[in-house]
């Protein structure tokens, strides 16, 4: 009965008006076995924040278990200071950045229409699941080498490949993909817990005859410009664009891509063995999200998908098609994106 209890704990709604926005429970399984369950609303913490929480729990445990006071230094600023600073940024720079997004996202394309297993419901339920996969060390290395040769980052290269995958699946040549930036450029913010992350939108316009190498150069330019205009909160961009909100899908983009390239904070505690307990995931933020992770042995990925739209078997095919596409890109980046391989040998025969 443990897993259903933990799942219910995680899925219990938060009341934003009254709080609390952080819940924790220590479950005793036996004399030497415990589970610490911590649930945090995204409005007060991002992915970077959770790593800080893990690191500080470890430091405090080590200190308190040996009778020492807290070793955590005083913070130079609080999250409220950052929020006040962000609200004060209404000058020429903010206006210039917002103007960039209004121009970049002018006349946004239609909703991304991937071939789904079920019709899109009138009201999005956010029901979801995950499909994990691993790229071989050879393919991971080939992608890193391609990025270096192209004077691009691995993020740009994988984003371009993901956009090609969406183009080939949907047949739509104008596609918006969301991503996020940590927004922790200032030294004072690196140890703060809070919601710093901001969404960016990457627009790609493709033609079947365009070589992948040329498309990657286009994506590189788009990404650099987006990073130069990353300080405008995403909700301000949506409001300024006057996007008509729909309950059936997310505003502006329905697919997201993130590359996680910061090492996970591990626990090292005296006389205590700590492991993470994977609960799985029953929610999806978008129609389709791709999270890639850089590790010592190569790249791994997770597709998060809306189960109102897709069956698990469809994601298994998407996984194999994406790997086939990546191998084709590494083998010959000059191949036109419309003819890059997608189907496996079994599907071709």
């Amino acid at each position: 009965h443990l897993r259903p209890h933990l799942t219910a704990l995680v899925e219990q709604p938060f009341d934003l008006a009254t709080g609390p926005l952080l819940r924790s429970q220590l479950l005793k399984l036996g004399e030497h076995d415990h589970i610490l369950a911590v649930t945090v609303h995204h409005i007060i913490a991002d992915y970077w924040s959770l790593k800080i929480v893990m690191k500080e729990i470890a430091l405090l445990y080590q200190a308190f278990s040996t009778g020492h006071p807290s070793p955590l230094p005083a913070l130079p600023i609080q999250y409220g200071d950052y929020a006040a600073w962000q609200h004060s940024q209404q000058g020429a720079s903010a206006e210039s950045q917002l103007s960039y997004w209004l121009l970049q996202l002018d006349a946004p394309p239609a909703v991304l229409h991937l071939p789904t297993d079920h019709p899109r419901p009138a009201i999005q339920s956010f029901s979801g699941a995950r499909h994990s996969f691993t790229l071989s060390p050879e393919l991971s290395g080939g992608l890193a080498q391609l990025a270096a040769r192209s004077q691009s980052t691995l993020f740009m290269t994988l984003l371009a490949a993901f956009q090609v995958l969406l183009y080939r699946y949907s047949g739509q040549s104008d596609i918006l993909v969301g991503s996020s930036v940590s927004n922790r450029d200032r030294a004072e913010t690196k140890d703060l817990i809070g919601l710093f992350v901001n969404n960016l939108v990457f627009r790609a316009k493709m033609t079947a005859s365009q070589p992948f190498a040329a498309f990657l150069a286009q994506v590189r330019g788009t990404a650099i410009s987006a990073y130069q205009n990353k300080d405008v909160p995403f909700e301000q961009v949506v409001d300024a664009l006057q996007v008509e909100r729909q309950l059936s899908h997310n505003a502006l983009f329905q697919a997201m891509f993130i590359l996680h390239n910061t090492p996970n904070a591990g626990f090292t505690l005296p006389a205590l063995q700590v492991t993470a307990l994977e609960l799985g995931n029953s929610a999806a933020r978008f129609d389709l999200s791709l999270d890639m992770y850089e590790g010592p042995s190569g790249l791994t990925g997770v597709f998060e998908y809306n189960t109102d739209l897709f069956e698990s078997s469809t994601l298994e095919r998407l996984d194999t098609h994406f790997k086939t596409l990546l191998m084709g890109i590494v083998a010959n980046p000059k191949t036109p994106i419309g003819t890059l391989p997608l189907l496996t040998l079994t599907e071709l025969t």
Side-chain angles (χ1 to χ4, degrees), residues 100-101 104 201-204 217-227:
Y100 164 81
W101 290 111
Q104 177 72 7
V201 185
F202 297 93
R203 188 172 193 170
Q218 174 190 317
V219 170
R220 178 181 181 275
T222 301
I224 290 173
S225 297
Y227 295 145

Side-chain angles (χ1 to χ4, degrees), residues 12-53:
Q12 180 185 341
F14 288 94
D15 188 328
L16 294 179
T18 61
L21 300 181
L22 181 149
R23 298 190 297 261
S24 61
Q25 275 192 11
L26 183 66
L27 308 176
K28 185 172 182 179
L29 309 183
E31 186 178 354
H32 301 293
D33 294 313
H34 298 77
I35 290 180
L36 175 63
V38 180
T39 313
V40 185
H41 195 288
H42 199 357
I43 202 170
I44 63 166
D46 50 24
Y47 186 74
W48 185 302
S49 298
L50 298 183
K51 293 186 176 185
I52 296 172
V53 170

Side-chain angles (χ1 to χ4, degrees), residues 248-259:
S248 61
H249 57 79
N250 188 65
L252 279 183
F253 61 88
Q254 294 77 51
M256 191 170 213
F257 171 72
I258 297 175
L259 174 63

Side-chain angles (χ1 to χ4, degrees), residues 77-243:
I77 63 171
Q78 296 291 330
Y79 184 76
D81 299 316
Y82 170 79
W85 170 82
Q86 189 181 53
H87 281 292
S88 71
Q89 300 302 298
Q90 301 297 329
S93 175
E95 290 182 13
S96 172
Q97 291 197 26
L98 185 57
S99 295
Y100 164 81
W101 290 111
L102 291 176
L103 183 63
Q104 177 72 7
L105 302 176
D106 181 51
V111 173
L112 180 63
H113 287 294
L114 297 171
T116 61
D117 300 302
H118 308 286
R120 183 184 295 277
I123 299 178
Q124 189 176 9
S125 74
F126 301 100
S127 299
R130 293 184 175 188
H131 174 86
S132 302
F133 62 93
T134 301
L135 302 186
S136 69
E138 294 77 19
L139 180 54
S140 299
L143 289 163
Q145 291 167 14
L146 172 60
R149 289 198 310 271
S150 307
Q151 296 183 309
S152 300
T153 63
L154 185 58
F155 169 85
M156 296 168 186
T157 306
L158 290 169
L159 170 62
F162 183 50
Q163 288 173 323
V164 170
L165 181 73
L166 297 177
Y167 161 64
R168 294 286 295 276
Y169 257 68
S170 68
Q172 294 169 252
S173 58
D174 188 357
I175 288 177
L176 301 179
V177 172
S179 190
S180 60
V181 286
S182 62
N183 258 7
R184 293 180 186 254
D185 301 333
R186 297 169 179 267
E188 303 96 321
T189 62
K190 68 181 180 67
D191 290 324
L192 280 183
I193 295 170
L195 181 58
F196 291 86
V197 71
N198 190 29
N199 286 339
L200 301 181
V201 185
F202 297 93
R203 188 172 193 170
K205 295 183 179 180
M206 293 164 271
T207 58
S209 60
Q210 187 177 22
F212 179 82
F215 177 60
L216 175 55
Q218 174 190 317
V219 170
R220 178 181 181 275
T222 301
I224 290 173
S225 297
Y227 295 145
Q228 292 170 340
N229 295 277
K230 65 180 176 53
D231 296 323
V232 181
F234 175 67
E235 57 270 21
Q236 283 189 20
V237 175
V238 175
D239 289 344
L241 285 166
Q242 298 181 329
V243 177

Side-chain angles (χ1 to χ4, degrees), residues 299-320:
L299 290 162
T300 57
V302 177
F303 282 113
E304 179 183 275
Y305 60 98
N306 190 309
T307 50
D308 285 346
L309 303 176
F310 303 105
E311 294 290 337
S312 59
S313 56
T314 298
L315 269 294
E316 290 173 9
R317 285 196 303 276
L318 189 75
D319 166 0
T320 58

